[in-house]
Amino acid sequence: MKNILIVDDDKEVCNLIKLILEKENINSEICFSGEEAIKKSNKNEYIMIILDVMMPGIDGFKTLEIIREKNNVPILMLTAKDDTSSKVKGLRLGADDYITKPFDTEEFLARVDSLIRRYYLSNNSDNNEDSRKNLYFEGLTILPDEYSVKLGTKVIELLPKEFDLLYLCAINQGRILTKKQIYESVWKEVYTFDDNNIMSVISRLRKKIEKDPSKPIYIQTVKGIGYRFNKEV
């Protein structure tokens, strides 16, 4: 059975989280630094990583950034900072969710359960990629088999959520998709009116595929409603 990796320089916090998970029959491993987490994530496959932000040496944000270069494992950020900027920064770097310490055990387990389900849903959907077709637009080719796009001849690697959101919009070219439709299609969860995840993925995606992210050609914002893939491309 695959494990959850817990990363925090505070040994008491690590042991507490491990105990909480054990009571739910969830296996876990512990490490106490970003450097060790990077090595473990390169060597082993985990169903998710619980990653603290404030650590000596390589902090959680940098650890997240390095892990995301090679690994799409779901990542839950732990932060003692109850401020929006830290949360948004983590999401923009590729975190899937965050929770502020000290946390409520039931809320923590709910978020863990959500990310574990997301891991298995993503893996199951990977087995059905043959049903998705390549899409061709002006200057942009979307390649489901590779979870990537081409801008001209340049290949752009995308994270799973980035690709899924782009593909959803593109396959519905010209149609306005609400945030609720996007969230429930891409995250496979009930929409709870938290737009940070969607906005962070859109922001990262535009930086990768748009010539000018502030004036997007492909994924356009429809104020107060959601997003639409440009019907003119």
Side-chain angles (χ1 to χ4, degrees):
M1 181 177 179
K2 298 184 180 72
N3 297 334
I4 287 177
L5 180 62
I6 304 165
V7 189
D8 196 316
D9 63 306
D10 188 326
K11 294 184 179 181
E12 290 186 5
V13 170
C14 286
N15 290 330
L16 173 62
I17 293 174
K18 187 174 180 65
L19 181 61
I20 291 172
L21 295 175
E22 284 177 351
K23 288 182 178 179
E24 300 297 318
N25 296 314
I26 300 172
N27 295 334
S28 62
E29 296 177 23
I30 291 174
C31 66
F32 305 113
S33 70
E35 291 90 343
E36 187 180 0
I38 292 165
K39 291 178 182 178
K40 282 182 173 290
S41 69
N42 287 335
K43 183 179 179 181
N44 305 310
E45 182 178 355
Y46 297 99
I47 56 176
M48 68 173 290
I49 296 175
I50 299 170
L51 178 62
D52 185 43
V53 169
M54 300 301 292
M55 295 186 294
I58 300 178
D59 68 10
F61 292 132
K62 187 62 178 178
T63 302
L64 167 64
E65 196 172 8
I66 294 172
I67 289 174
R68 273 290 175 258
E69 291 176 357
K70 298 180 179 179
N71 199 319
N72 295 319
V73 60
I75 295 179
L76 173 67
M77 300 295 291
L78 290 177
T79 175
K81 293 181 177 180
D82 191 13
D83 66 270
T84 302
S85 61
S86 293
K87 296 171 184 177
V88 170
K89 181 178 180 180
L91 291 171
R92 284 180 174 169
L93 288 173
D96 294 274
D97 204 352
Y98 58 82
I99 193 166
T100 302
K101 296 188 292 185
F103 50 78
D104 175 79
T105 300
E106 289 188 6
E107 180 187 1
F108 172 75
L109 286 173
R111 292 178 184 271
V112 167
D113 181 64
S114 173
L115 290 183
I116 290 175
R117 283 188 288 111
R118 193 177 298 179
Y119 168 85
Y120 286 113
L121 282 169
S122 176
N123 281 1
N124 287 337
S125 67
D126 286 346
N127 295 329
N128 297 314
E129 285 304 311
D130 288 343
S131 64
R132 300 208 286 186
K133 61 182 181 180
N134 293 349
L135 299 176
Y136 302 91
F137 303 97
E138 184 179 334
L140 179 71
T141 302
I142 302 177
L143 306 168
D145 288 344
E146 302 173 21
Y147 256 77
S148 65
V149 302
K150 284 184 178 179
L151 292 177
T153 58
K154 182 181 179 182
V155 176
I156 308 295
E157 301 295 336
L158 299 181
L159 296 174
K161 291 294 180 290
E162 295 168 356
F163 182 87
D164 290 344
L165 194 154
L166 174 62
Y167 191 87
L168 175 68
C169 291
I171 205 72
N172 289 283
Q173 185 180 17
R175 177 186 171 193
I176 298 174
L177 299 177
T178 66
K179 294 174 182 178
K180 181 177 186 294
Q181 288 173 318
I182 292 172
Y183 189 86
E184 293 185 351
S185 294
V186 174
W187 276 266
K188 314 295 185 192
E189 297 176 6
V190 176
Y191 180 59
T192 56
F193 303 99
D194 181 358
D195 297 336
N196 281 340
N197 281 326
I198 296 175
M199 292 171 64
S200 296
V201 172
I202 290 284
S203 176
R204 296 200 309 266
L205 192 52
R206 283 174 172 166
K207 289 177 181 177
K208 291 182 178 181
I209 69 171
E210 298 285 358
K211 184 176 181 180
D212 182 354
S214 66
K215 297 178 181 178
I217 295 173
Y218 299 110
I219 297 182
Q220 301 174 322
T221 301
V222 182
K223 289 186 178 180
I225 302 177
Y227 298 92
R228 172 179 55 201
F229 195 90
N230 189 353
K231 64 181 179 181
E232 303 297 332
V233 297

